[in-house]
């Protein structure tokens, strides 16, 4: 059996119960105590997200200031349980409108109980799709001051929808203006050695969509990925156009994508859910264009002085620019005084994280600002402990740039009523874990 | 244990008024009662809103553990409402308290049954769900009717709830469920319902019901088999895309149990499921992978292709999602890598740690890096691991040094690695030095040819900078083993011997004894005084093993020095392979349970959950807060476990057989406890074990010359209590109920307080460690529990070839390092002997 969870608990950081839902009797009522005693109050907290205490296994995840704990008594499917928690949190967020934290839970605990009843029955996951659940568990149900009978009644055929075949979209949607928004969001992960060689580099990207379309539209998306282009040129028996093609290492799709068709024709075709959703995720390791190069030189001058020089080069097109660039340069704990010179942006020393934080709000392409700093250290008696240098970390966003080079070639919308649609496509590249050792 | 103190709780400003204000819960509750009663009959406008506020209060009290069951009657009275949210809150409340108020629960039956006939399918479903969640055994008769009509309801939501209801009913009263013939209705629904969630729920319910029934009814086990028959599997597979992602996991899990008749069927299934590898839900992907791996077990070539195919999706899963999810996936990757290291060897960069990752992910990544290392990538991997050695996270730094060592022992590019290890020794960080020393020791055991380079560096390490017992022991071992190459070895050893009394670790003292002996044979004049001092210190030692070894060395020296040299300093052979800690059968068993907890715990499921063997522990109350699960583990009579083992272990090979491939009919000798003891037992111990025991016994009249040589005045007959002549049955078996019965009947034969040595206390972080230790002394645990500082254990042992039992209750307080022991025995005469045995076993804990 995949999960058959015996109980779910929501706890705050002190270990107080915010929500408890017992699905089965095979675990005792003192499971929360067991969790508190054996995990929360020990050093083991955070050392492993799965723990066995007595005959029960505890899966726990921390989400902002809340722990969600699933208790099982059998040999459960762990991946499924964690995925369930992640999905459940996404669902709660879509109900609360954003934050999921202790306050949100306390304010909405009745709603959460309602949802927990629907998304899991007797320990087996049921329907977690927000689109469907929102049809019959309405936030207004909790909020509205003058609840009257008709408004509380679910949409007549809501329960039919609950389990229907096209579970992600209901029929009869009408929009005045039919619009589709498509965002390609990539995050670049980089690990660079102190000598400047790339140890590890990959891109995880996702395509986010927002659909406001009437009826039951069929969408087709074409990308400049290698397999898709090759297949297309095969089908049309003409040589593929020259130009950059991207090799995707692995792709996963939202359940609405017709995977059989993807496998045979290599095109992404789907009936989209209404509103926002994540269409696909992909991973690329070859041919990644790094948007930034960081060239650090850190010299320890004796025991009380350090000299830090960091040059950051933007490698993308000169017409583009990056936003919200933050470079965190680590310094030793015993830093006493710092002085900077930067050619762009602002820098300051943040003692709480032992870093020089250099912020550049707008960072044009093909430029290379530098930071040079002098750091004075308090001399300590324990000179033996040499400083272990953590890596330099970087955050940024580059709009209209994809590190992988992925582009949308076409996005076709087809609906039987034949309405016109407006399509919007955006690209953005963010820093994932962008680390440079120094 | 107590519910969180209420005074701590301060309502946050953003909360709606009155939700969580705890003033005085008792008066609050009676206040609520009054208000509810006023509202119960009222039909004034807005009354639902006031009810909602009150209900909310009640539920929030309930959540934090305040007993509001006294409101049961009022809540039921207020439940006559058309407000669906109110209804839901009321159902929740009723579900929680019906069990403790079975009489009052009867009150709710009426309105729930009425709601089950409501025109709104939503309400019908909700009412049915709540009705089945009451969990009151004497109300089951009221369930059958509504469930029967629920299963036939024309609304799928109600049917879906009803199916789960049947399963709930089964858990309350199995006979009622079977008598009403619900399982066969479910079977029909499963095969014919148009709604996939109904089908999925039927599948879960039937799997549970028939697995539970299978042990008693042949028909049920036939039905269980029928679930994995070709028609059912094909029916489900063909609809798989319609199922929700969670139901897909369920179906895929079922498919793994299916044995296709020929290879074309296997390919059909794989082709059908291939696109599942692209599903966004990682659980579906893992479940699909499991199907692929299981199906192709017998087809070696295809199995390899499967590894290639699943690589990319797995690596994606690792890098996407929360750290917890990555952890689960990495555990599976680790399992796969152990089976096919070469598959991932070119992807080693995926396992480089990121600075901010949680340590549990980093630890698994280190294991992955170790596992995928081969000729081509060793250099890069070791370079990367060396970066982590300077990590701020000290446990990870240690792990990474150990990883370097493990790679070295895998024989790739040893040359470069030895250099690195020696650099570690020069880093001058305590923990780095400590770990590196242990590694250098293991390396030398495998590659004695490197001794020259290593010893030069090791010789420079001051023993004063090494504090950790393991590292110190390693250093001392090297001092003894290579004393001829290390100029000042005798003097270093001598200074260590001088501080004999300050050395707290018995392991170190044992090594010190052996090292001094070795050194003595290589450089006698320089070592003589140190040896004398060491033997004197050892014989006076309170630790049994140290004492024994010192005495043994002393006697063998007196008997014949050249024999002693042969025993202590035999020509050594390099260790070629360090044994694997886990048997391959266990690994296969874990592989069979892919995509479950087994993989994370790295042990087969029967080791941590075995419901069939989990006897009713009625005296659990007496045991207090003891963990039943642990008891279940140990309660299993050993013979049964072995059978169980064979049975379980058959699965992989059996499957292979049925699929017409080679059956590796290896001997099924499986250790009862999967975690076999560490193979890195110190070589010194092995050496002493190697020595012929008859030699030691031989000696009394042997030469006393050595006495003079040592200049010692050791009494010839040491005052050691003779070991009790009591042999215990290593495979003792006792079920909990007998234990319990005996414990009640027998008088306390012996009650005493034993002090536990500090190493034992240190090792007792969790009860399990002691259980394993005692088991190695043929003393078995039946139940255990507690946490620091108080641990409580119930042990039992059996006399060898006799059915005479010893029962022990042992309460260990780690802060005072004392154990309170109560012994009860069938045979009172031998209880003293057993007590001695028990005491000696306990005293060895933590030192072996």
């Amino acid at each position: 059996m995949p999960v058959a969870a015996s109980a779910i608990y929501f706890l705050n950081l002190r270990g107080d119960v915010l929500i408890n839902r017992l699905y089965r009797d095979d675990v005792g009522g003192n499971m929360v105590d067991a969790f508190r005693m054996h995990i929360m109050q020990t050093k083991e907290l955070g050392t492993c997200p799965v723990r066995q205490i007595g005959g029960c296994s505890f899966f726990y995840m921390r989400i902002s200031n809340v722990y969600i704990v699933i208790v099982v008594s059998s040999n459960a499917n762990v991946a499924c349980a964690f995925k369930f928690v992640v999905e459940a949190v996404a669902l709660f967020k879509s109900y609360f409108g954003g934050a999921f934290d202790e306050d949100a839970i306390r304010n909405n605990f009745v709603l959460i109980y309602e949802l927990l009843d629907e998304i899991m029955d007797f320990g087996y996951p049921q329907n977690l799709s927000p689109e469907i659940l929102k049809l019959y568990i309405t936030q207004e149900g909790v909020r509205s001051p003058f609840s009257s009978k008709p408004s509380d009644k679910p949409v007549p055929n809501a329960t039919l929808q609950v389990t229907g075949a096209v579970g992600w979209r209901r029929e009869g949607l009408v929009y005045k203006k039919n619009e589709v928004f498509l965002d390609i969001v990539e995050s670049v992960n980089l690990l660079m050695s102190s000598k400047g060689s790339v140890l590890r580099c990959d891109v995880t990207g996702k395509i986010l969509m927002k659909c406001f379309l009437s009826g039951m539209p069929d969408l087709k998306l074409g990308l400049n990925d290698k397999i898709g282009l090759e297949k297309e040129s095969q089908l049309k028996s003409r040589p593929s156009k020259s130009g950059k093609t991207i090799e995707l290492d692995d792709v996963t799709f939202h359940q609405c994508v017709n995977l059989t068709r993807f496998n045979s024709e290599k095109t992404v075709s789907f009936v989209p859910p209404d509103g926002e959703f994540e269409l696909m995720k992909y991973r690329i390791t070859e041919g990644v264009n790094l948007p930034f190069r960081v060239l650090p030189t850190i010299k320890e001058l004796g025991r009380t002085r350090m000299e830090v020089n960091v040059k950051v080069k933007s490698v993308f097109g000169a017409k583009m620019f990056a936003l919200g660039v933050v470079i965190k340069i680590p310094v030793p704990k015993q830093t006493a005084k710092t002085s900077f010179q930067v050619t762009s942006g602002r820098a300051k020393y943040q003692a709480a994280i032992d870093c020089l934080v250099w912020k550049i709000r707008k960072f044009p392409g093909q430029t290379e600002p530098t930071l040079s700093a002098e750091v004075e250290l308090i001399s300590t008696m324990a000179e033996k402990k040499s400083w272990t240098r953590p890596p330099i970390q970087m955050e940024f966003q580059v709009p209209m740039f994809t590190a992988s080079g992925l582009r949308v070639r076409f996005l076709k919308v087809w609906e039987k009523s034949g309405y016109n649609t407006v399509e919007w496509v955006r690209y953005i590249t963010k820093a994932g874990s962008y680390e440079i050792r120094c | 244990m107590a519910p969180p103190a209420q005074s701590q709780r301060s309502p946050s400003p953003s909360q709606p008024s009155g939700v969580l204000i705890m003033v005085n819960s008792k008066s609050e509750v009676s206040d609520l009662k009054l208000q509810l009663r006023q509202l119960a009959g009222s039909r004034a406008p807005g009354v639902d809103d006031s009810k909602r506020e009150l209900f909310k209060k009640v539920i929030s009290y309930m959540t934090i553990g305040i007993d509001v069951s006294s409101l049961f009657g009022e809540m039921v009275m207020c439940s006559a409402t058309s407000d669906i949210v109110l209804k839901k809150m009321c159902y929740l409340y009723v579900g929680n308290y019906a069990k403790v108020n079975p009489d009052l629960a009867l009150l709710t039956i009426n309105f729930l049954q009425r709601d089950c006939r409501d025109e709104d399918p939503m309400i019908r479903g909700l009412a049915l769900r709540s009705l089945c969640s009451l969990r009151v055994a004497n109300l089951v008769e009221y369930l059958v009717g509504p469930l029967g009509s629920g299963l036939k309801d024309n609304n799928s939501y109600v049917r879906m709830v009803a199916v789960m209801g049947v399963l709930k009913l089964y858990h309350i009263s199995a006979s009622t469920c079977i008598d009403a013939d619900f399982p066969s209705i479910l079977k029909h629904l499963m095969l014919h319902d148009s709604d996939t969630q109904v089908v999925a729920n039927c599948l879960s319910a039937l799997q549970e019901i028939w697995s539970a029934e299978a042990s008693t009814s042949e028909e049920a086990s036939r039905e269980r088999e029928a679930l994995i028959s070709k028609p059912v599997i094909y029916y489900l597979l063909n609809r798989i895309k319609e199922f929700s992602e969670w139901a897909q996991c369920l179906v895929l899990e079922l498919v793994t149990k299916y044995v296709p008749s020929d290879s074309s069927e296997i390919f059909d299934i794989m082709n059908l499921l291939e696109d599942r590898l692209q599903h966004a839900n990682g659980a579906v992907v893992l479940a699909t992978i499991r199907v692929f791996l299981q199906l192709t077990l017998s087809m070696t070539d295809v199995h390899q292709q499967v590894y290639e195919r699943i690589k990319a999706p797995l690596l994606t899963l690792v890098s996407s999602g929360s750290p917890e999810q990555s952890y689960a996936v990495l555990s599976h990757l680790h399992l796969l890598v152990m089976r096919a290291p070469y598959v991932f060897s070119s992807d080693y960069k995926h396992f480089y740690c990121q600075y901010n990752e949680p340590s549990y992910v980093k630890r698994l990544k280190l294991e992955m890096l170790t596992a995928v290392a081969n000729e081509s990538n060793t250099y890069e991997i070791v370079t990367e691991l060396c970066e982590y050695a300077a990590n701020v996270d000290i446990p990870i730094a240690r792990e990474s040094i150990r990883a370097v060592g493990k790679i070295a022992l895998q024989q790739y590019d040893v040359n470069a690695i030895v250099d690195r290890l020696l650099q570690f020794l020069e880093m001058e960080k305590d923990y780095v030095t400590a770990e590196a020393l242990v590694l250098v020791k293991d390396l030398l055991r495998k590659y004695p040819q490197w001794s020259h380079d290593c010893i030069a560096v090791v010789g420079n390490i001051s023993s004063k900078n090494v504090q950790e017992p393991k590292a110190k022991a390693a250093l001392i071992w090297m001092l003894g083993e290579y004393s001829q190459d290390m100029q000042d070895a005798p003097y270093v050893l001598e200074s260590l011997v001088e501080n004999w009394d300050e050395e707290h670790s018995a392991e170190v003292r044992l090594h010190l004894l052996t090292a001094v002996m070795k050194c003595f044979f290589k450089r006698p004049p320089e070592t003589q005084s140190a040896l004398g001092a060491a033997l004197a210190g050892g014989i006076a030692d309170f630790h049994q093993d140290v004492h024994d070894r010192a005495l043994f060395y002393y006697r063998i020296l007196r008997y014949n020095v050249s024999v002693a040299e042969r025993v202590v300093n035999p020509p050594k052979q390099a260790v070629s392979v360090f044994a694997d800690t886990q048997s391959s059968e266990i690994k296969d068993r874990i592989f069979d349970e892919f995509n479950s907890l087994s993989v994370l715990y790295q042990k087969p499921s029967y080791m941590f959950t075995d419901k069939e063997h989990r006897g009713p522990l009625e005296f659990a109350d007496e045991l207090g807060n003891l963990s039943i699960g642990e008891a279940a583990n140990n309660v299993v009579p050993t013979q049964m476990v072995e059978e169980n083992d064979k049975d379980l272990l058959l699965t992989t090979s059996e499957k292979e057989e049925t699929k017409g491939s080679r059956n590796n009919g290896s001997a099924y000798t499986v250790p009862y406890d999967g975690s076999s003891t560490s193979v890195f037992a110190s070589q010194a111990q092995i050496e002493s074990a190697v020595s012929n025991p008859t030699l030691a016994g031989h000696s009394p009249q042997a030469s006393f010359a050595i006495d003079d040589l040592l200049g010692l005045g050791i009494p010839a007959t040491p005052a050691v209590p003779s070991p009790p002549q009591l042999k215990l049955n290593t495979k003792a078996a006792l079920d909990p109920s007998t234990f319990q019965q005996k414990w009640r009947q027998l008088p306390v034969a012996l009650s005493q307080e034993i002090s536990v040595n500090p190493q034992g206390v240190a090792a007792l972080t969790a009860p399990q460690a002691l259980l394993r230790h005692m088991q190695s002394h043929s003393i078995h645990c039946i139940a255990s529990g507690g946490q620091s500082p108080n641990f409580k254990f119930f042990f039992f042992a059996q006399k060898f070839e006799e059915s005479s039992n010893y029962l022990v209750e042992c309460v260990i307080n780690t802060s005072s390092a004392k154990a309170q022991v109560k012994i009860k025995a069938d045979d009172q005469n031998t209880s003293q002997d057993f007590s001695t045995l028990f005491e000696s076993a306990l005293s060895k804990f933590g030192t072996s």
Side-chain angles (χ1 to χ4, degrees), chain B residues 613 636-645:
Chain B
H613 301 304
V636 186
T638 321
Q639 295 88 331
M640 265 173 87
V641 169
E642 280 184 351
E643 272 168 31
N644 203 356
D645 264 349

Side-chain angles (χ1 to χ4, degrees), chain A residues 262-373:
Chain A
F262 176 76
N263 280 337
S264 59
E265 297 165 29
K266 303 291 170 199
T267 51
V268 184
S269 61
F270 54 100
V271 179
D274 194 39
E276 266 186 84
F277 68 103
E278 185 182 296
L279 178 70
M280 62 182 266
K281 269 196 296 214
Y282 56 88
R283 191 167 53 80
I284 291 168
T285 44
E286 296 299 319
V288 176
N289 310 314
L290 290 175
F292 290 100
R293 291 246 164 209
V294 181
L295 308 162
T297 39
I298 296 181
K299 276 189 217 145
E300 287 175 65
L301 308 167
R303 275 166 50 191
T304 58
R305 244 161 48 83
M306 258 174 55
E307 211 178 78
V308 179
N309 280 300
V310 179
K311 190 196 282 180
V312 182
K313 241 187 204 172
S314 54
V315 200
F316 46 86
K319 282 180 190 158
M320 288 190 278
F321 51 85
L323 296 173
V325 178
V326 180
I327 301 135
K328 290 182 188 158
I329 304 145
V331 289
K333 261 204 157 39
Q334 65 268 28
T335 300
K337 220 177 111 187
T338 52
S339 56
F340 309 100
Q341 277 190 323
V342 287
T343 57
S344 169
R346 277 184 181 178
K348 65 178 174 196
Y349 166 58
Q350 282 191 5
I353 50 171
D354 296 318
C355 278
L356 305 178
V357 179
W358 179 18
K359 289 184 181 167
I360 303 166
R361 201 166 294 158
K362 195 169 172 181
F363 196 137
Q366 304 297 338
T367 55
E368 37 178 285
T370 55
L371 168 145
S372 48

Side-chain angles (χ1 to χ4, degrees), chain A residues 39 48 61 66 100 112 121 158 167 192 194 205 260 277-278 292 303 308 310 330 359 375 382 407 424 430:
Chain A
I39 298 173
C48 181
M61 266 178 126
V66 178
F100 177 85
I112 294 179
D121 200 355
M192 195 178 262
S194 48
T260 327
F277 68 103
E278 185 182 296
F292 290 100
R303 275 166 50 191
V308 179
V310 179
K359 289 184 181 167
V375 180
R407 284 272 178 268
W424 306 87
K430 294 180 185 171

Side-chain angles (χ1 to χ4, degrees), chain B residues 21 42-43 54 92 105 120 164 197 214 220 261 269 356 369 414 470 481 573 591 604 609 624 691 754 774 780 788 827:
Chain B
I21 299 169
S42 161
R43 289 189 182 279
L54 287 178
L92 182 69
D120 183 347
M164 274 337 223
Q197 192 59 44
S261 56
I269 296 178
N356 292 331
L369 284 175
V414 187
K470 274 204 180 327
E481 193 63 37
Q573 279 187 343
F591 183 69
T609 149
S691 61
I754 304 175
M774 294 308 271
H780 306 269
S788 196
D827 180 0

